[in-house]
Amino acid sequence: MQTSTGHKPIRTAVFPVAGLGTRFLPATKAIPKEMLPIVDRPLIQYAVDEAREAGIEQMIFVTGRGKSAIEDHFDIAFELEKTMSERGKSLAVLEPTRLGPGNCAYVRQQEPLGLGHAIWCARSIVGDEPFAIFLPDEFMHAHPGGDGCMKQMVEAYNEVGGNLLSVLEVPREQVSSYGVIDPGAEVSGGQGTLTEVRGLVEKPRVDQAPSNKIISGRYILQPEVMRVLERQEKGAGGEIQLTDAMAQMIGTQPFHAVTFNGRRFDCGSKLGFVEATLALALEREDMGADVRAMAQRLLQ
Ligand code: G1P
C-alpha cells in the first residue's frame, strides 16, 4: 500500500520507554516515569494519543524490567470495568487506553545501551516499513484546535517522503544535551516550511554545534536505519545513538526537519513536568478558571 504521492504510509510507532527515570526518584522507584500523570493522564497516554491522531495504529513499546504498569494501562481492566458498569458509570474515560487486539506489542531492551539500541530492539516487529518514533518525555502539545506534532509530520512526509525529524530552537548553551541538526535549504511542505538536514550530531560541545536546532523527540524513519543500528557502534556517552545512525544515512536518504507549530514541554525535567501540568490544567474547561484563581492566591 502507498499514499497518493507514492510513499508507504506510516502505520507503526515505536515508544522507547525502558529508561530508569532516575531524575524523578523516589516517585519512579516502583512505577515507570511514563506513568506519572499530567493532570489525569499518564505521560505515555499523550504520546499514544498523538500517534493515533496521526493515523498510526500499531504501537510498539520498548520496555524494561519494572515497566509492566504500561502494559496494564493499555489492557482491559476487567474488575474495574465490571464494577464501573454495575454502578452505571460511563467507561468513556477509558477509551484512550483501548488500543485494540493485536495493535500493541512489547519488546524488552535488556540493557540500557542507548536510544539507538532501544529502537533496534524493535526491528523484527517494525519489519520493512517506514515507522514513527516518539520519545514520551518530550511532550508535544498542539495549540487548541491545531494538529499534533506527528500529524503535522505525517502530512509533510506524505509530500516529501524519506525521513523526517521534529526540531526546535533552544538557547545555544543548551545544545549539548541534545541531538543537533546542520540545517540546509528551506523547502515548502506540510503545514509550513521544512528544512533540509545536511548533518546531525549528538550532544555536541556548544562551540562545535552546527546550529541551535535540536531534535525534539519525534521521528519518521525508513527501515534502513535498523541496518545501520545493527552495527552497534557506540557514540556520545558510550551509547548506541540513534542520531549517529541517522547521520550515516544522510547522503543516501532524504532527511528533512519539521518545526512543530505547537508547544513543547520537556517532561524529562521536573520543571518541565510542572509547567506541563499547569499549562494543561489551565486549559481545561472543567478546572481552568479554578486553577487560575488558585495560582493567584498562591502567588500573593
Ligand atoms: C535523546 C536523543 C537526542 C534528542 C533528545 C530529545 O537524548 O538522543 O538526540 O535531542 O532525546 O529529548 P536523551 O534525552 O535520551 O539524552
Side-chain angles (χ1 to χ4, degrees):
M1 204 172 99
Q2 295 191 332
T3 62
S4 55
T5 41
H7 308 297
K8 279 189 178 176
I10 308 301
R11 289 189 288 220
T12 303
V14 179
F15 302 84
V17 291
L20 295 174
T22 48
R23 275 195 267 180
F24 285 88
L25 283 169
T28 49
K29 186 180 172 194
I31 56 164
K33 72 170 172 187
E34 296 79 11
M35 289 303 293
L36 297 179
I38 307 261
V39 188
D40 51 11
R41 274 177 192 222
L43 191 53
I44 186 69
Q45 182 73 60
Y46 292 95
V48 166
D49 291 348
E50 187 190 325
R52 292 172 100 186
E53 183 210 2
I56 296 172
E57 283 165 14
Q58 173 77 30
M59 313 295 172
I60 305 174
F61 300 89
V62 182
T63 69
R65 277 163 58 77
K67 296 279 180 167
S68 54
I70 298 176
E71 294 173 46
D72 290 341
H73 179 75
F74 291 110
D75 199 354
I76 286 180
F78 179 75
E79 303 87 336
L80 175 71
E81 296 183 20
K82 183 167 175 286
T83 310
M84 284 174 71
S85 304
E86 281 168 6
R87 294 182 186 166
K89 290 204 159 60
S90 164
L91 297 180
V93 72
L94 297 174
E95 196 285 326
T97 68
R98 301 187 194 288
L99 299 185
N103 282 346
C104 49
Y106 298 87
V107 55
R108 279 197 178 196
Q109 183 189 22
Q110 285 131 336
E111 291 175 276
L113 297 179
L115 176 61
H117 180 260
I119 300 305
W120 179 73
C121 287
R123 66 196 178 283
S124 358
I125 314 175
V126 166
D128 206 24
E129 301 270 321
F131 63 105
I133 299 173
F134 294 74
L135 309 189
D137 272 358
E138 295 282 350
F139 179 15
M140 307 299 266
H141 185 51
H143 288 311
D147 288 335
C149 183
M150 188 53 71
K151 188 163 183 207
Q152 294 181 18
M153 290 174 73
V154 165
E155 243 176 69
Y157 168 83
N158 288 341
E159 288 176 33
V160 298
N163 302 269
L164 285 153
L165 312 173
S166 69
V167 296
L168 56 88
E169 293 189 43
V170 296
R172 188 110 193 157
E173 61 274 14
Q174 292 176 16
V175 292
S176 49
S177 303
Y178 298 101
V180 180
I181 72 161
D182 178 7
E186 301 215 321
V187 290
S188 71
Q191 299 186 2
T193 47
L194 308 176
T195 306
E196 275 175 36
V197 179
R198 293 188 306 194
L200 287 162
V201 41
E202 181 68 14
K203 302 195 170 71
R205 276 178 35 185
V206 172
D207 58 346
Q208 288 173 357
S211 75
N212 66 339
K213 291 189 175 188
I214 61 131
I215 307 171
S216 67
R218 299 292 182 273
Y219 311 73
I220 290 176
L221 296 179
Q222 296 298 319
E224 282 73 18
V225 73
M226 295 296 190
R227 295 197 259 290
V228 184
L229 287 168
E230 188 88 36
R231 298 181 206 140
Q232 310 266 309
E233 287 162 2
K234 292 195 171 126
E239 297 190 340
I240 300 168
Q241 297 288 357
L242 179 61
T243 303
D244 295 345
M246 296 188 302
Q248 290 185 43
M249 290 161 70
I250 293 174
T252 57
Q253 291 249 348
F255 268 84
H256 289 97
V258 177
T259 306
F260 172 46
N261 181 15
R263 293 171 78 185
R264 168 257 189 177
F265 302 104
D266 171 13
C267 288
S269 81
K270 283 176 237 200
L271 204 57
F273 207 94
V274 172
E275 186 189 8
T277 305
L278 273 174
L280 265 81
L282 283 167
E283 262 178 27
R284 291 263 296 241
E285 272 180 25
D286 59 343
M287 62 168 81
D290 289 341
V291 173
R292 196 172 302 273
M294 184 187 73
Q296 274 158 0
R297 276 200 308 279
L298 288 171
L299 289 170
Q300 270 167 18

